[in-house]
Each structure stands twice: as structure tokens, then as C-alpha cells.
Amino acid sequence: MRDEALPEDEVIRILMEMKERDFSYDRFFSTMCTRPHPIAVRAHDMFLETNLGDPGLFPGVADLEQRVVRMLGELLGCSNAAGYISTGGTESNIQAIRAARNEAGKKDGNIVVPASAHFSFDKIGDLLCLEVRKAELDECLRADLASVRSLVDERTVALVGIAGTTEFGQVDPIEGLAKIALERKIHLHVDAAFGGFVLPFLEGDWRWDFRVPGVSSITIDPHKMGMSTIPAGGLLFREQECLSHLETETHYLTKARQASLTGTRSGAAAAATYAVMMHLGREGFKETVRYCMNLTHHLVSGARKIGVEPLIEPTMNVVALQVPSPARVREELMKRDWHVSMTREPKRALRLILMGHMTHENIDLFLKDLEDVLRR
Ligand SMILES: Cc1ncc(COP(=O)(O)O)c(C=O)c1O
């Protein structure tokens, strides 16, 4: 650190220089986040100094957080769900499994997740000293129920289903998983970090949320398809009691007990989420999802015209394209300033997320480059 102060203008100049090095969302196909909605940015700025770790000092933003939890609960079929606004999908998944483990009170426990689960579950295994058992996928890349059944035993503390997998945007058979969870009296956690703000606004009757008896907790991230600011994650439990399995005594704060993983935590993202949900309403989110699905169909039909097929017909705005030597193709596309990623073995493919920041024009430019790269 410097000894003398640096004038404000000089500091800002450095910041601007650094910001210019960041890439632009316009060419991002790899991220599940997007530019936040302008009203979310305004709300975030208004509540920048608030700390939800000590909610008695900030009752206004603490109320906003609970209003967001209520709105999310209504969206997911349980208006009195309990929960809080976390830093994102990883924290929500950690906390859901921690609550399940504490409730089960088993030593040397395990969790059963689909092979398509996000890597946050590997962190969870390490942090919570749980064995992570990975169930096979069926031909549509959903959790295979027979494989899940074969992995569950008396030490299983939670089952996990994904509603919107990170690589394929696929939805696991949540009703089938719930049946196993109810039979074996196990906590079923649904990771809808991405799909939580997509599925309720898609055509069709998806059965994956608290409307399915047996679903105990859900992760839903406002900082992905919810267009809130980073870091905004959502964690919801069907039963208030689950939150109490996460609580510790706080000794010196305004509330005697705390259930969140982090202590000091910004209220800004909760306020931003409240603002964007109120402002857009269901109609606004439907419109966004419709736009993202149009982009998705545009990409897939354009890819087919150049002889490239998706691994599965996209369920939501996530596409995995089958190309020869995907690592080389990705590298060439990155050289042309397209930010794309890849799915894991054994289903290596180009992974593309069609977020609200993408345009039909940029998809056309991307497809031209893809065709060119494939011809070489
Ligand atoms: C299904 C799913 N769960 C969890 C996460 C982790 O979320 P975060 O990066 O906000 O911690 C992701 C991230 O993409 C995800 O796709």
C-alpha cells in the first residue's frame, strides 16, 4: 500500500483503464449471468452500505429481503417458504445440504447427485465431509432414477435434482426423485440456480418445485436469469424448521441467532432483486424468457443449416452443440473474440447460454465464424 494519498481522479483513471480490459457481454455465450436490469442497479446503489448480517440495524432492507423470499416462495409454489438471499448458487447449495445433514444427524453421510450436478456439490462434499455419489444420466441427460435408487442407502442425507443443468439446461425427473425421497424419508434439494427464473415462465406444465410433495429445498439465483445484481442467490425451504438447523448464536448482534453462512452480508442485492421482481412482474419475466428462447431456436436452426446438431433438443436457453474436436473449435472461436465454453466428458460439446444480452445479429456473426472454423 502507498504511504501518500493518490488523488481521486488518478484512482478513477486506473479503475477505468482496468475496466476497459474486461470483455463485453455482447460476445458472451459462456456465462449464466447478464447485465443487471437498470432498476436493480439503482436499488443496489441505494442500499450499498447496508448489512443484513445485523438486520436489527437495517430493518428496512431486512423487510425487503423477506418480501423477496415471499415472492420467490409464491413463484415456486409455497408462499410461506422460509429462506434468505445468499451470495449465489454455491452458497445456497452448501446451506441446503448442511441443513439436511444437520437434520439427519448422521455421521459418515453421503449425498446422491446426478452426474450433471454443478461442481459446487464437490465443494460441499469436501466442506461437510460427505461422500458425493454421482448417479448416471439417461439418454436425455437427466438423472437416471434406477441409478439414483442403487446409490441411496441408510447413510444418505440428501438427494439432489437439477432444474436447469449447467451444461445442458436439462430438468431432472423431480417427481421420480421426490418419490424416492418420500419413501426413504430423505431431504430432496432442487438446484434451480439457473432454471428457477426460466421454468415458471416457459410454456408447458413443469412439475419440479414445491408443488411436488417431497421437495424440501430449492436454490434459485436472481443474479442469473433474475437480472439482479451480483451477488444475489436465493435459498428456500418448505419448512421454517430447516432454517433452525443452520442457526448459531450471535452473542453481540441485534438478533440472537443467525442462519446465513456469511456473517456480514450486503443488503444491496436483496434490494436489487426486490426492485427488479416488482418492476418486471411475471409478464416482464415471461417476455425475457420468450426472447431468450427465440435466440435459442435461432441458434439451433442456424447451426443445423451448417451441419451442426445439438446434443439434445434444448429445454431452456442452454445449447450443447456437437462439433468435431470441440477444444480446438472453442480455441479458434475465442481467438475471434467469442466467449464459449465446453461441456464435460463423456459428452464433450460446445456449450452456449443464450442470455438477454445476446442478439440475433451476433448469433448470425457467430455462426459464420463457426462455419469458417469447421471448414479449416
Ligand atoms: C445449476 C447450478 N447450480 C449452482 C451454480 C453455482 O452458482 P454460483 O456461481 O452463483 O455460485 C451454477 C452456476 O452456474 C449452476 O448452473
Side-chain angles (χ1 to χ4, degrees):
M1 193 177 176
R2 296 163 53 90
D3 281 333
E4 308 98 55
L6 192 65
E8 187 175 324
D9 284 356
E10 184 56 16
V11 175
I12 298 298
R13 192 196 59 74
I14 297 171
L15 295 183
M16 285 170 65
E17 205 178 289
M18 291 299 168
K19 196 160 163 46
E20 269 174 25
R21 287 173 52 190
D22 289 345
F23 296 106
S24 160
Y25 269 103
D26 301 340
R27 303 188 60 107
F28 287 178
F29 283 105
S30 56
T31 175
M32 294 186 135
C33 292
T34 190
R35 290 189 189 100
H37 191 285
I39 201 165
V41 177
R42 274 183 76 182
H44 192 107
D45 282 350
M46 281 173 72
F47 287 88
L48 213 51
E49 68 197 24
T50 62
N51 173 15
L52 278 170
D54 205 356
L57 299 179
F58 302 99
V61 76
D63 189 2
L64 286 181
E65 180 183 40
Q66 282 316 303
R67 289 181 191 207
V68 172
V69 167
R70 214 170 308 131
M71 284 193 280
L72 291 175
E74 281 166 11
L75 191 65
L76 304 180
C78 181
S79 53
N80 58 352
Y84 75 95
I85 300 305
S86 69
T87 53
T90 300
E91 181 183 338
S92 296
N93 287 341
I94 292 171
Q95 289 282 81
I97 302 301
R98 190 174 145 231
R101 185 204 60 174
N102 292 353
E103 186 178 11
K106 287 176 187 164
K107 287 232 154 52
D108 305 323
N110 66 68
I111 57 173
V112 179
V113 309
S116 54
H118 184 260
F119 59 78
S120 49
F121 290 96
D122 295 323
K123 296 184 186 177
I124 288 169
D126 186 30
L127 279 169
L128 301 179
C129 300
L130 294 168
E131 182 194 348
V132 182
R133 298 183 173 175
K134 299 195 176 172
E136 287 167 19
L137 305 183
D138 65 17
E139 68 285 357
C140 300
L141 306 176
R142 294 178 298 214
D144 181 90
L145 290 173
S147 174
V148 171
R149 267 189 195 283
S150 72
L151 295 173
V152 172
D153 64 16
E154 67 289 350
R155 307 236 69 81
T156 304
V157 299
L159 286 186
V160 174
I162 321 287
T165 56
T166 312
E167 289 152 292
F168 313 113
Q170 189 55 288
V171 182
D172 285 329
I174 303 298
E175 285 179 300
L177 292 171
K179 196 163 170 274
I180 302 173
L182 287 172
E183 273 168 27
R184 305 288 300 241
K185 297 191 171 48
I186 305 171
H187 185 112
L188 171 59
H189 175 62
V190 177
D191 180 359
F194 185 75
F197 272 99
V198 181
L199 290 169
F201 309 113
L202 270 184
E203 302 292 324
D205 184 21
W206 295 91
R207 302 263 305 155
W208 64 277
D209 59 13
F210 288 121
R211 275 165 275 252
V212 178
V215 171
S216 314
S217 54
I218 299 181
T219 287
I220 171 171
D221 278 357
H223 70 200
K224 294 190 169 72
M225 284 294 285
M227 281 175 289
S228 186
T229 52
I230 296 172
L235 170 61
L236 296 188
F237 292 103
R238 185 191 291 278
E239 308 289 346
Q240 179 74 39
E241 198 198 326
C242 274
L243 265 187
S244 66
H245 294 297
L246 296 171
E247 284 179 355
T248 50
E249 287 181 14
T250 57
H251 311 298
Y252 63 93
L253 301 177
T254 50
K255 289 270 154 73
R257 301 182 72 75
Q258 187 175 82
S260 55
L261 183 62
T262 54
T264 300
R265 59 192 182 99
S266 172
T273 306
Y274 177 80
V276 72
M277 288 185 78
M278 290 295 281
H279 183 61
L280 288 182
R282 283 179 195 257
E283 283 308 315
F285 281 105
K286 255 191 202 157
E287 190 49 48
T288 303
V289 168
R290 205 176 298 131
Y291 176 73
C292 294
M293 290 311 292
N294 277 339
L295 292 175
T296 306
H297 299 313
H298 188 68
L299 174 79
V300 171
S301 67
R304 283 196 161 118
K305 281 185 197 139
I306 58 170
V308 174
E309 284 294 319
L311 263 177
I312 52 166
E313 246 1 275
T315 300
M316 53 184 79
N317 45 328
V318 179
V319 179
L321 290 180
Q322 304 180 73
V323 292
S325 319
R328 181 196 71 86
V329 172
R330 174 175 179 253
E331 206 182 305
E332 290 300 319
L333 289 167
M334 297 285 279
K335 281 189 201 151
R336 297 175 188 218
D337 200 20
W338 294 113
H339 295 262
V340 290
S341 55
M342 276 193 307
T343 58
R344 280 173 282 189
E345 291 293 356
K347 296 281 183 192
R348 271 271 194 244
L350 273 191
R351 167 182 175 267
L352 301 138
I353 320 296
L354 288 305
M355 298 296 291
H357 56 250
M358 190 41 66
T359 60
H360 289 78
E361 293 73 32
N362 270 4
I363 289 176
D364 291 339
L365 292 175
F366 169 80
L367 285 168
K368 268 204 194 108
D369 277 337
L370 178 62
E371 187 177 18
D372 193 44
V373 167
L374 289 175
R375 257 205 248 111
R376 279 159 196 259

